[in-house]
Amino acid sequence: VSGLSTEVHTVPFSLEYRVFFKNEKGQYVSPFHDIPIYADKDVFHMVIATKHPLNTIKQGVKKEKLRYVANLFPYKGYIWNYGAIPQTWEDPGHNDKHTGCCGDNDPTDVCEIGSKVCARGEIIGTKALDILAMIDKRETDWKVIAINVDDPYAANYSDVNDVKRLKPGYLEAMLEWVRRYKVPDGEPEMSLLLRQNLKIRTLQLILLKKALVTKKINGKRISCMNTTVSESPFKCDPDAARAIVPPSCESACTVPTDVDKWFHHQKN
């Protein structure tokens, strides 16, 4: 991914806010389809992508309003760097034998637990330590627990047992956060499964993604627009990619005051 850069359109905290990715030639690309899954042997790329054309970064929206991660005491926002592995996909038509539920029609999420707070749009190499299956509304939502390979302590981590040893209480906090994070929205807690075969699971995801981008499977809401996958009917030229980029707008936006509100989980 050498030479990739990002380009911001409009301002943060607006419905129109987007971050586009560009290659070394200055051409727009998709972080979901055009960035390779592997950075190196057993090292996954991690990036943020969405379902929209060219899979640009945008803020989540719920009920036509920008969505913010609630501060659920004692956690303020996310407790990790959050992104996804490019060229992976959870098929909503495939029932997973481990969870008994179909996929959530998203790339595979990554919870990166290193010591650095990553920048928006940053692309990093990560070492997978384990994988967590979150079952949300009868959909399987896989989340890889990983660490940035450039983290100064990355060499000390081989699997989730090292997380337990070197970060006492962190794994428990992670599971608790995932179970509770939708509580402020009035939604039920999540069901969780932990520890699956990472290598086999990754190979399955790669095969699913290839079927998606070559139109052998219907991706429904997922945009498969790309600039590099030669066998894909969704491949476009640089001019077509540039045509979807909106003009930039610099009008100021502010964060709603209730974003900093604290929530407390009420145990029954």
Side-chain angles (χ1 to χ4, degrees):
V1 295
S2 175
L4 278 181
S5 60
T6 57
E7 180 178 290
V8 176
H9 281 254
T10 76
V11 292
F13 318 120
S14 69
L15 289 168
E16 296 77 23
Y17 175 75
R18 299 288 187 277
V19 178
F20 288 85
F21 287 76
K22 301 172 79 171
N23 62 18
E24 68 281 357
K25 297 179 181 179
Q27 299 166 336
Y28 294 99
V29 298
S30 161
F32 184 15
H33 305 294
D34 296 323
I35 293 176
I37 185 172
Y38 289 107
D40 202 347
K41 186 177 184 295
D42 298 326
V43 176
F44 296 100
H45 277 126
M46 169 182 161
V47 69
I48 299 173
T50 68
K51 301 177 178 69
H52 297 266
L54 286 183
N55 312 108
T56 57
I57 294 176
K58 64 183 289 289
Q59 190 163 337
V61 176
K62 186 173 183 179
K63 297 180 180 179
E64 300 182 357
K65 291 184 178 181
L66 294 177
R67 187 177 185 184
Y68 296 85
V69 177
N71 304 312
L72 187 60
F73 183 83
Y75 314 114
K76 185 169 178 60
Y78 286 115
I79 59 173
W80 49 68
N81 291 303
Y82 197 42
I85 301 175
Q87 302 196 24
T88 59
W89 179 58
E90 304 291 353
D91 184 359
H94 172 73
N95 192 291
D96 192 285
K97 67 179 182 180
H98 298 294
T99 65
C101 299
C102 294
D104 65 352
N105 201 36
D106 278 333
T108 300
D109 298 323
V110 182
C111 301
E112 193 280 318
I113 65 170
S115 54
K116 175 188 175 184
V117 177
C118 293
R120 185 181 297 120
E122 188 172 353
I123 302 167
I124 63 173
T126 59
K127 177 167 58 175
L129 306 175
D130 215 316
I131 191 164
L132 169 70
M134 186 176 85
I135 303 171
D136 183 6
K137 296 179 182 177
R138 298 299 300 166
E139 291 182 337
T140 302
D141 182 4
W142 291 95
K143 297 185 183 301
V144 173
I145 302 170
I147 190 166
N148 188 340
V149 293
D150 291 329
D151 189 274
Y153 304 104
N156 298 331
Y157 291 84
S158 298
D159 56 35
V160 76
N161 292 315
D162 293 320
V163 180
K164 295 177 181 177
R165 178 173 58 86
L166 298 170
K167 292 190 172 186
Y170 187 87
L171 184 63
E172 291 79 6
M174 173 181 285
L175 298 177
E176 185 73 4
W177 191 96
V178 172
R179 284 194 185 97
R180 313 290 192 201
Y181 87 104
K182 288 192 176 182
V183 168
D185 295 332
E187 298 186 24
E189 298 174 15
M190 308 295 105
S191 299
L192 301 174
L193 299 173
L194 187 63
R195 298 191 64 80
Q196 303 294 342
N197 188 313
L198 277 173
K199 187 174 183 180
I200 292 175
R201 183 63 194 151
T202 303
L203 290 174
Q204 291 172 339
L205 292 167
I206 295 169
L207 292 174
L208 284 173
K209 170 57 173 57
K210 187 173 183 180
L212 169 69
V213 81
T214 55
K215 209 176 180 179
K216 294 177 181 177
I217 292 177
N218 182 4
K220 298 180 181 178
R221 308 186 308 272
I222 292 282
S223 171
C224 294
M225 187 178 187
N226 69 86
T227 63
T228 60
V229 186
S230 57
E231 67 270 36
S232 171
F234 304 103
K235 183 182 177 183
C236 69
D237 60 32
D239 289 338
R242 189 183 306 111
I244 74 161
V245 180
S248 192
C249 170
E250 302 301 329
S251 57
C253 293
T254 57
V255 181
T257 56
D258 59 359
V259 169
D260 288 323
K261 180 180 177 180
W262 280 104
F263 293 86
H264 297 263
H265 176 64
Q266 304 293 319
K267 294 185 177 180
N268 296 327

